[in-house]
Amino acid sequence: DEARHELAKILAKYDKSLREALKHYLILLQKKPCDVDLVLETSRIYVRQKNYQAALSLLYPALNEHPQHVDLLVEAGRAEHGLSH
């Protein structure tokens, strides 16, 4: 899992490999759905892809568990802003 995570991080740096990175993140999230770092990293990819609803579907459950988590709040705000155009 650690190697997959590192690969996903590398792939996520480049727009052309976001889809591949997302595949790896989703596999990791299946194993660790409550991992805040994975939620954040995956939601950031969704936001970059303008798939704001998918980002929020990850962020809201995480925020229910960690309502004061600043990074989760910021990412949720970005996704909400993206929905409003």
Side-chain angles (χ1 to χ4, degrees):
D1 286 351
E2 190 175 318
R4 183 182 297 275
H5 192 188
E6 289 305 313
L7 176 60
K9 285 180 184 180
I10 292 167
L11 291 169
K13 291 180 182 183
Y14 308 100
D15 288 341
K16 64 184 177 184
S17 57
L18 283 180
R19 288 174 59 195
E20 186 68 22
L22 184 59
K23 289 178 191 177
H24 291 288
Y25 276 118
L26 292 175
I27 290 168
L28 291 165
L29 275 173
Q30 286 178 349
K31 296 176 182 179
K32 294 181 176 181
C34 297
D35 186 311
V36 173
D37 290 330
L38 290 175
V39 168
L40 283 167
E41 292 165 21
T42 308
S43 68
R44 288 174 179 142
I45 291 175
Y46 279 134
V47 168
R48 286 173 60 195
Q49 293 177 326
K50 298 185 182 354
N51 190 347
Y52 305 113
Q53 201 60 50
L56 291 170
S57 73
L58 293 175
L59 292 165
Y60 285 149
L63 278 167
N64 282 334
E65 294 295 316
H66 309 280
Q68 302 300 316
H69 195 289
V70 174
D71 292 333
L72 289 172
L73 290 166
V74 168
E75 290 306 317
R78 286 186 180 137
E80 287 287 351
H81 181 73
L83 282 176
S84 68
H85 300 284

